[in-house]
């Protein structure tokens, strides 16, 4: 029993390692937080703290990790970029008018390498060929665009 008292850090290390390996199978991040608590108990053991204090340090660290760290890590892992599908991904992108665009005569705009039928968003505008435009809306298969302001030098 003296060996266990003198080498409690080794037990904490083994417990932390075992919990870490078990986490690889569960992927819930609960066992990983408990493993961090066990490693905190190991540090307390290396500092020759009494066994009761080691247990309290391990428990407090585990609870703190579960309450404070795990929720934000899980949120980060489970969230990702919003998936924009279909034509909605074109809204906000810039392109070039491949043919003149007016309300009376729809033109063609090239956005992200694709050609789209286009009309001006402001029905009083006429957009010349080669002018930079921004897609403001998609209705059906028609892109409603507005010219991108240019800085004159």
């Amino acid at each position: 029993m003296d060996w266990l008292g003198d080498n409690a850090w080794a037990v904490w290390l083994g417990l932390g390692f075992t919990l870490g390996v078990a986490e690889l199978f569960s992927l819930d991040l609960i066992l990983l937080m408990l493993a961090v608590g066990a490693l905190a108990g190991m540090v307390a053991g290396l500092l020759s703290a009494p066994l009761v204090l080691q247990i309290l340090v391990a428990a407090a660290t585990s609870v703190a990790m579960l309450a404070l760290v795990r929720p934000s890590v899980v949120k980060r892992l489970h969230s990702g970029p919003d998936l924009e599908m279909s034509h909605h991904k074109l809204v906000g992108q810039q392109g070039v008018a491949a043919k003149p665009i007016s309300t009376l005569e729809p033109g063609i705009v090239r956005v992200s390498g694709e050609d789209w039928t286009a009309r001006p968003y402001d029905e009083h505008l006429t957009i010349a060929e080669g002018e930079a435009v921004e897609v403001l809306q998609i209705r059906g298969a028609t892109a409603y665009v507005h010219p991108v302001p240019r800085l004159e030098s």
Side-chain angles (χ1 to χ4, degrees):
M1 199 60 154
D2 275 340
W3 182 89
L4 183 60
D6 293 338
N7 297 304
W9 65 269
V11 174
W12 287 115
L13 180 62
L15 181 62
F17 179 77
T18 303
L19 289 168
V21 170
E23 176 62 39
L24 294 174
F25 295 103
S26 74
L27 298 177
D28 270 338
L29 297 179
I30 293 174
L31 297 177
L32 183 63
M33 302 300 138
L34 297 177
V36 171
L39 294 179
M42 178 194 75
V43 170
L46 285 172
L47 297 174
S48 301
L51 184 59
V52 173
L53 183 60
Q54 294 175 31
I55 293 171
L56 289 175
V57 167
T61 303
S62 295
V63 168
M65 292 292 289
L66 286 169
L68 302 175
V69 176
R70 184 179 179 274
S72 62
V73 172
V74 167
K75 182 179 177 183
R76 237 179 205 202
L77 288 175
H78 290 180
S79 68
D82 291 336
L83 179 62
E84 292 185 6
M85 300 192 58
S86 183
H87 57 270
H88 296 294
K89 65 182 177 185
L90 296 176
V91 174
Q93 291 192 9
Q94 293 187 0
V96 177
K99 286 187 179 178
I101 304 167
S102 70
T103 303
L104 299 174
E105 185 67 32
I108 302 287
V109 67
R110 183 164 291 126
V111 181
S112 298
E114 298 178 349
D115 289 344
W116 284 77
T117 303
R119 291 189 183 269
Y121 190 76
D122 180 355
E123 55 194 44
H124 301 293
L125 285 178
T126 300
I127 301 170
E129 183 176 342
E131 196 167 344
V133 295
E134 180 178 357
V135 178
L136 298 180
Q137 187 177 30
I138 301 284
R139 288 187 221 146
T142 304
Y144 285 81
V145 298
H146 191 75
V148 174
R150 289 185 290 178
L151 295 175
E152 300 296 325
S153 45

